[in-house]
C-alpha cells in the first residue's frame, strides 16, 4: 500500500486550560484520505486535541496552545490565519446531533449562505449533493422543508454531516459521532465514513474501540494528554508496542 | 396527603379562586350597564358625557388612546429591548452582563408614579419643544415613557429566551465558518423567536394596563385623538380619574366597570396569546 501524503501534522502540541495541561507534547502526522481514530479514556484530551484542528478551542477562556499544528503545511495558529476560512476547510461533526431548528434544506444551505451564496439553483444543487454524499438524500428528498428535528437521531447526525459537507471541507473532524446513536444508526454512520474518506481526510474521536478497529486506518492512543502510541490500526489492536495501550484495548483500564 | 401538601394545594386554589372572583366581580358590576346598552355604540361612539341627562357612555376615544400609546411603547421599546437582550445574552462579557442584569432587575421596583413625574417634568416639555406643540402632554410622550417602563419585562424575558438556546447550535454555526455576528442573527435569535415574541406580548400587556404614568402624562382629553401628538386618555386613566367621583351604583359607576371589563378582556387575550406561544415553543422543541 502506498503511503498517502500527510494532510495534518502536529508538532509538539501542548494545550492548556488556565494552569491545566490537557494535551502534552503531541506530535503526529495524519495521512490524507484516511480515517484516523483517536482513542483513550475520558479526560485523556481526545476531544481537546480534535477541536484544536479547527480552532474551536479558541472560544474557551484561558485556552493556550503551543507547538505547531499544520494542515497542508500551513500552521493554522500562525498570525493572520483566518479562522473562518480554516473552518470551511476543516469541518466538524459533534457528539450529539445538533441540527439547527430549521428545515432540512435550510440546515444544509446554512454554510453556503453564510458565504453569500444566494442563487436558489446553486443552493439546490449543493443541498442535493451534500445530502447524497451523506447518504440521506433518498430518505428526505420529498420533505426537504420539514424541520430537521423531525428526523431520527441517526438521520439527524447524517444531516449534520451533510451540513458540514456543504461548505466543501477537506478534513472532517468527528467527535464521537455515534455515541448517542443505536447500533443500526451507528453502522450507517460508519459506512458513511468509509465513503467519505475517498474525498476527505477524516479524524474521529471515539470511545468505542470496535468502532476504531472497524473503520480507521490509523489509530492514536491518548492517555492523560500524552500520545502513548500511534500506528496502523491493525497493529494497535493486535500487537501494541506499549503496555498501557495493551491494557486499554483489552479493557484493563477504563 | 400530609398537611404541608394540603396547605400548598389550598394556597394554589386560593389564587385561582381570587382571580376568578375578581373577574366575576368586575363582570357583575358591568352587567347593569350592558343590560341597558343594546347597541355597539359603547365601542364605536365618541361621547363620554357622564353628567348630562341622559348621560352617554361611549369609549371609542379611550380605546383608541390605549391602542395608540401601547403601539408607541412597543414600537419604540421593542428594538431597544431586544437589542439590549442580545447584548446581555451574547455580546457583553459575562461578569458585566451579570451585574447589568441585577441593576436592571432593580428598575422593576421603580414606582410608576416616579416615571410619571419624570414624564411630566422632563419628557413632555422636551416633546413640546421638539415637535413645536402647545402641550407636551400627549400620547406620544406617554408612549415614550412607557417604552422605557416595559424594558425590564421585555429585556429580562428576551434575555432568558436567548440564553435558553442550546450552546450546540452556536457551536455548529461556528464550526461552519460563521462569525459571531452571523451566529447571533442567523441561529440564536431565530431559535429564541417564540420566547422573544412572548416577551413582546407580555410587555404589551404591561403597557396596556399601566395607569399612573398615562394619567399624568397623556394629557387627558376625552375625545378620540386624531393623532398621537394630541392629548388623550386611555381606558386605565379614565377609570382611575373618574371612579372616585362616580356615585356607587350610578350609571357612570357601572359604565366604568364596563370599560374595565373591556380592558380586562384585552389584557387577558394578549397574555393568553403569549402563553400559547410559550407552550407552542415547548411542544415544538
Amino acid at each position: 500500500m502506498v503511503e498517502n501524503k500527510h494532510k495534518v501534522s502536529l508538532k509538539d502540541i501542548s494545550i492548556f486550560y488556565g494552569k491545566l495541561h490537557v494535551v502534552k507534547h503531541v506530535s503526529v502526522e495524519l495521512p490524507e484520505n484516511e480515517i484516523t481514530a483517536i482513542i483513550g479514556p475520558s479526560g485523556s484530551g481526545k476531544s481537546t486535541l480534535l477541536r484544536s484542528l479547527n480552532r474551536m478551542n479558541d472560544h474557551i477562556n484561558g485556552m493556550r496552545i503551543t507547538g505547531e499544528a499544520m494542515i497542508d503545511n500551513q500552521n493554522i495558529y500562525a498570525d493572520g490565519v483566518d479562522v473562518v476560512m480554516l473552518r470551511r476547510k476543516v469541518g466538524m461533526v459533534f457528539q450529539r446531533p445538533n441540527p439547527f431548528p430549521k428545515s432540512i434544506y435550510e440546515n444544509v444551505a446554512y454554510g453556503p449562505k453564510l458565504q453569500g451564496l444566494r442563487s436558489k439553483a446553486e443552493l439546490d444543487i449543493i443541498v442535493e449533493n451534500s445530502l447524497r454524499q451523506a447518504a440521506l438524500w433518498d430518505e428526505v428528498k420529498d420533505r426537504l422543508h420539514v424541520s430537521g428535528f423531525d428526523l431520527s437521531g441517526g438521520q439527524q447526525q447524517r444531516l449534520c454531516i451533510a451540513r458540514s459537507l456543504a461548505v466543501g471541507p477537506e478534513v472532517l473532524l468527528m467527535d464521537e459521532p455515534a455515541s448517542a446513536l443505536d447500533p443500526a444508526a451507528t453502522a450507517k454512520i460508519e459506512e458513511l465514513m468509509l465513503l467519505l474518506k475517498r474525498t476527505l481526510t477524516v479524524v474521529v474521536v471515539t470511545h468505542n474501540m470496535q468502532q476504531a478497529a472497524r473503520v480507521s486506518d490509523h489509530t492514536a492512543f491518548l492517555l492523560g494528554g500524552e500520545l502513548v502510541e500511534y500506528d496502523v490500526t491493525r497493529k494497535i489492536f493486535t500487537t501494541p508496542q506499549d503496555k498501557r495501550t495493551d491494557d486499554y484495548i483489552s479493557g484493563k483500564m477504563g | 396527603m400530609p398537611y404541608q401538601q394540603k396547605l400548598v394545594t389550598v394556597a394554589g386554589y386560593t389564587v385561582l379562586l381570587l382571580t376568578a372572583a375578581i373577574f366575576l366581580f368586575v363582570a357583575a358590576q358591568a352587567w347593569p350597564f350592558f343590560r341597558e346598552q343594546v347597541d355597539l355604540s359603547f365601542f364605536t361612539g365618541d361621547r363620554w358625557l357622564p353628567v348630562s341627562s341622559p348621560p352617554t357612555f361611549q369609549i371609542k376615544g379611550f380605546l383608541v388612546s390605549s391602542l395608540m400609546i401601547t403601539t408607541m411603547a412597543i414600537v419604540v421599546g421593542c428594538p431597544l429591548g431586544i437589542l439590549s437582550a442580545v447584548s446581555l445574552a451574547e455580546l457583553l462579557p459575562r461578569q458585566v452582563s451579570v451585574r447589568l442584569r441585577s441593576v436592571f432587575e432593580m428598575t422593576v421596583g421603580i414606582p410608576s408614579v416616579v416615571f410619571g413625574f419624570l414624564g411630566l417634568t422632563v419628557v413632555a416639555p422636551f416633546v413640546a419643544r421638539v415637535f413645536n406643540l402647545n402641550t407636551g402632554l400627549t400620547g406620544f410622550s406617554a408612549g415614550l415613557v412607557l417604552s422605557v417602563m416595559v424594558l425590564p419585562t421585555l429585556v429580562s424575558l428576551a434575555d432568558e429566551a436567548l440564553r435558553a438556546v442550546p450552546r450546540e447550535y452556536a457551536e455548529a454555526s461556528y464550526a461552519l465558518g460563521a462569525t459571531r455576528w452571523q451566529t447571533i442573527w442567523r441561529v440564536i435569535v431565530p431559535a429564541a423567536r417564540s420566547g422573544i415574541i412572548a416577551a413582546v406580548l407580555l410587555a404589551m400587556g404591561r403597557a396596556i394596563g399601566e395607569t399612573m404614568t398615562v394619567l399624568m402624562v397623556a394629557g387627558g382629553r376625552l375625545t378620540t385623538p386624531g393623532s398621537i401628538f394630541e392629548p388623550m386618555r386611555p381606558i386605565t386613566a379614565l377609570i382611575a380619574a373618574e371612579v372616585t367621583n362616580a356615585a356607587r351604583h350610578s350609571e357612570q359607576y357601572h359604565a366604568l366597570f364596563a370599560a374595565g371589563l373591556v380592558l380586562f378582556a384585552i389584557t387577558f387575550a394578549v397574555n393568553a396569546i403569549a402563553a400559547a406561544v410559550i407552550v407552542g415553543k415547548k411542544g415544538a422543541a
Side-chain angles (χ1 to χ4, degrees), chain A residues 173-202:
Chain A
L173 310 176
M174 306 179 94
D175 191 356
E176 302 191 43
S179 65
L181 306 180
D182 63 47
T186 300
K188 279 210 162 146
I189 299 283
E190 289 177 6
E191 253 172 66
L192 178 56
M193 289 166 76
L194 294 171
L195 287 175
L196 290 175
K197 77 168 183 178
R198 294 180 190 167
T199 50
L200 293 166
T201 304
V202 178

Side-chain angles (χ1 to χ4, degrees), chain A residues 152-226:
Chain A
S152 71
Q155 288 174 323
Q156 285 188 18
Q157 194 61 302
R158 280 179 282 143
L159 175 61
C160 293
I161 293 172
R163 183 176 64 184
S164 296
L165 296 176
V167 291
E170 296 170 26
V171 179
L172 190 62
L173 310 176
M174 306 179 94
D175 191 356
E176 302 191 43
S179 65
L181 306 180
D182 63 47
T186 300
K188 279 210 162 146
I189 299 283
E190 289 177 6
E191 253 172 66
L192 178 56
M193 289 166 76
L194 294 171
L195 287 175
L196 290 175
K197 77 168 183 178
R198 294 180 190 167
T199 50
L200 293 166
T201 304
V202 178
V203 187
V204 58
V205 161
T206 179
H207 255 113
N208 178 335
M209 276 176 286
Q210 286 78 22
Q211 182 171 64
R214 278 192 301 263
V215 299
S216 70
D217 302 287
H218 278 78
T219 296
F221 172 53
L222 233 56
L223 182 63
E226 284 176 58

Side-chain angles (χ1 to χ4, degrees), chain B residues 75-146:
Chain B
V75 165
V76 178
C78 269
L80 207 61
I82 292 171
L83 289 178
S84 19
V86 166
S87 63
L88 278 177
E90 299 296 330
L91 291 172
L92 294 167
R94 215 154 58 92
Q95 300 92 315
V96 177
S97 46
V98 167
R99 294 228 173 82
L100 276 181
R101 261 181 214 120
S102 52
V103 170
F104 220 77
E105 272 154 25
M106 278 180 353
T107 64
V108 180
I110 300 178
S112 55
V113 67
V114 174
F115 279 104
F117 193 59
L118 285 173
L120 203 61
T121 56
V122 181
V123 179
F126 175 78
V127 167
R129 203 165 57 242
V130 170
F131 295 96
N132 201 15
L133 305 169
N134 291 331
T135 171
L137 298 176
T138 59
F140 187 87
S141 307
L144 218 51
V145 176
L146 269 182

Side-chain angles (χ1 to χ4, degrees), chain A residues 51 84 87 98 102 110 149, chain B residues 168-169 171 173-174 186:
Chain A
R51 295 163 74 94
V84 166
R87 287 176 186 159
N98 59 351
K102 299 176 188 286
Y110 181 79
F149 290 160
Chain B
E168 286 84 4
Y169 298 164
E171 286 222 298
S173 174
Y174 288 128
R186 295 176 187 226

Side-chain angles (χ1 to χ4, degrees), chain A residues 22 25 43 70 123 199 217:
Chain A
V22 185
H25 309 289
M70 317 281 279
L123 284 171
T199 50
D217 302 287

